[in-house]
Amino acid sequence: QIQLVESGGGVMQAGDSLRLSCVASGSTFTAYALAWFRQAPGKAREFVAAISWTAQSTYYGNSVKGRFTVSRDNTQNTVYLQMNNLRPEDTAVYYCAANLEVVTTDEDDYRFWGQGTQVTVSS
C-alpha cells in the first residue's frame, strides 16, 4: 500500500505564498489519484484540491479556486499544492490522500492518508 508524507507547512502572513509537498512510497505512484484536504480546529475536514494520475484532470474547492494549484511529478512520486494569496481562513492542517480509483472530491473515497502538515496564516 502507499505511504504519504506531507511537508512544507509553516507560519505565514496574509498574502504570502507557500508550497506543500507530499511524497509517496510503497506502491506504484501513477496508479493513484491524489488529493489535498484540510481541517481547521473545530471544523469538518474540507476538500481542497485533487488531481488524476495523468494530471489531466484537476479539481478545486470553491474557497481556494484561483489561488491554489495542485500538480504532481510522477518521476519524483510527489504531489504539490501551491498556495498563493494566503488568507487567515486558510489556517488548517493540510492532508494528502490517495485513491486507487478515479479522482474524486469526496474524502470517503480516499483510503490512504498522510499525517498532515500545519499551515497557519496570520492577518
Side-chain angles (χ1 to χ4, degrees):
Q1 64 183 36
I2 194 169
Q3 289 86 44
L4 304 168
V5 179
E6 304 96 333
S7 63
V11 179
M12 312 300 291
Q13 297 283 331
D16 284 350
S17 295
L18 187 66
R19 189 177 79 162
L20 304 183
S21 300
C22 173
V23 178
S25 62
S27 189
T28 304
F29 185 69
T30 53
Y32 292 84
L34 297 162
W36 290 94
F37 292 82
R38 67 185 182 186
Q39 188 166 22
K43 295 188 176 182
R45 191 173 291 178
E46 176 189 15
F47 169 74
V48 176
I51 187 167
S52 64
W53 74 271
T54 62
Q56 289 185 333
S57 298
T58 57
Y59 302 90
Y60 295 94
N62 288 334
S63 60
V64 307
K65 204 170 292 184
R67 300 187 298 123
F68 291 11
T69 302
V70 62
S71 62
R72 64 190 292 166
D73 184 343
N74 288 342
T75 67
Q76 299 295 321
N77 287 1
T78 303
V79 60
Y80 303 99
L81 184 68
Q82 177 67 44
M83 304 186 294
N84 297 331
N85 191 21
L86 283 164
R87 303 168 180 169
E89 53 264 39
D90 294 320
T91 295
V93 177
Y94 284 72
Y95 297 92
C96 174
N99 175 22
L100 262 176
E101 298 178 358
V102 297
V103 59
T104 78
T105 63
D106 187 344
E107 65 174 293
D108 291 337
D109 292 330
Y110 289 85
R111 179 181 176 189
F112 304 103
W113 292 79
Q115 83 290 347
T117 186
Q118 175 72 47
V119 174
T120 302
V121 184
S122 60
S123 57

